[in-house]
Amino acid sequence: MKSGDFKTFLKNISKKGLTVLDVSIPKSKYSPIDLSESNKILNRVDVSSSSKLEVFVNNHIKKHDALVAFGGYLEVRNIYKRSNHFNSQDEEERNIHLGIDLWCDTETLIYTPLDGVVHSFKNNTNYGDYGPTIILKHNISEVEFYTLYGHLSLASIEKLKVGQEFKQGDQIATLGDANINGDYPPHLHFQIIKDIQEYFGDYPGVCSEKYLEFFRVNCPNPDILLKIDNFFSL
């Protein structure tokens, strides 16, 4: 299936926006946030400190009378400079974000937007990594693809089993805090993956400019499913 066809397929799965967060949070309580390197206000924040970044995110949420700050697909971010996990001397710097982040309270309930089975899960413990992570496999109209949920609580994966089935709307996890989620303010990293390749419990959520075109095709904008931006464009 070609890139454009896959995006059209995803868009047509549901006319209504699907949800991965607690359904009691209305879209009116979501607010877009800019965490890119071009945000001059953010450039005055020490983003190497999860607590200082959390203050920035929480102030944004409060200012906009929101409960969730969201965004980040293909954002070029400075936040990853703090970790060698994204800055190996042998590779080009990885700083382009491939999912959508939903910044909200720790222990927020996470749901699957579609029927799926557990492909894999793992606690990715590198500094700045996902922490506890779940990958679901979906098969809709004989089209197979995957969704990734990162920065979860440790309890989210303790009793999980590969092949475990979830129905659309089932709770699959809760959000973790900075002590377990890779040292970030609590948030969900949600990502669509067309081809999981050989990964298990992990998949790149940040890429370098060199590999951007591959990942742009393999990991289309998750808002195709969530349709959060549609609410703000009305």
Side-chain angles (χ1 to χ4, degrees), residues 31-79:
S31 176
I33 190 170
D34 178 5
L35 297 180
S36 71
E37 64 178 11
S38 60
N39 184 341
K40 295 180 180 179
I41 298 175
L42 184 62
N43 286 338
R44 298 197 292 266
V45 177
D46 179 10
V47 294
S48 67
S49 165
S50 60
S51 60
K52 291 180 180 178
L53 180 59
E54 184 167 6
V55 168
F56 176 84
V57 172
N58 286 344
N59 283 344
H60 174 91
I61 289 173
K62 184 177 180 180
K63 177 181 178 181
H64 292 86
D65 189 28
L67 294 173
V68 179
F70 75 94
Y73 181 65
L74 298 188
E75 242 178 21
V76 180
R77 294 175 168 178
N78 285 331
I79 187 174

Side-chain angles (χ1 to χ4, degrees), residues 65-96:
D65 189 28
L67 294 173
V68 179
F70 75 94
Y73 181 65
L74 298 188
E75 242 178 21
V76 180
R77 294 175 168 178
N78 285 331
I79 187 174
Y80 306 115
K81 294 182 182 297
R82 65 185 183 143
S83 173
N84 290 333
H85 181 58
F86 303 100
N87 294 283
S88 168
Q89 293 181 348
D90 300 327
E91 298 181 0
E92 183 179 313
E93 178 184 6
R94 294 193 294 134
N95 61 358
I96 303 172

Side-chain angles (χ1 to χ4, degrees), residues 7 17 32 60 66 69 80-82 85-86 88 92 106 110 147 153 167 169 174 183 196 203 228:
K7 289 181 180 179
H60 174 91
Y80 306 115
K81 294 182 182 297
R82 65 185 183 143
H85 181 58
F86 303 100
S88 168
E92 183 179 313
T106 185
I110 308 301
T147 52
S153 66
K167 294 296 184 182
T174 57
D183 192 42
I196 199 69
Y203 192 84
I228 303 173

Side-chain angles (χ1 to χ4, degrees), residues 15-18 25-32 64-66 68 70 223 225-234:
K15 292 182 179 180
K16 294 174 58 178
L18 304 178
I25 305 174
K27 290 294 193 301
S28 60
K29 289 295 183 178
Y30 284 59
S31 176
H64 292 86
D65 189 28
V68 179
F70 75 94
D223 202 50
L225 290 181
L226 304 183
K227 297 178 172 60
I228 303 173
D229 275 332
N230 290 6
F231 176 85
F232 290 91
S233 62
L234 294 176

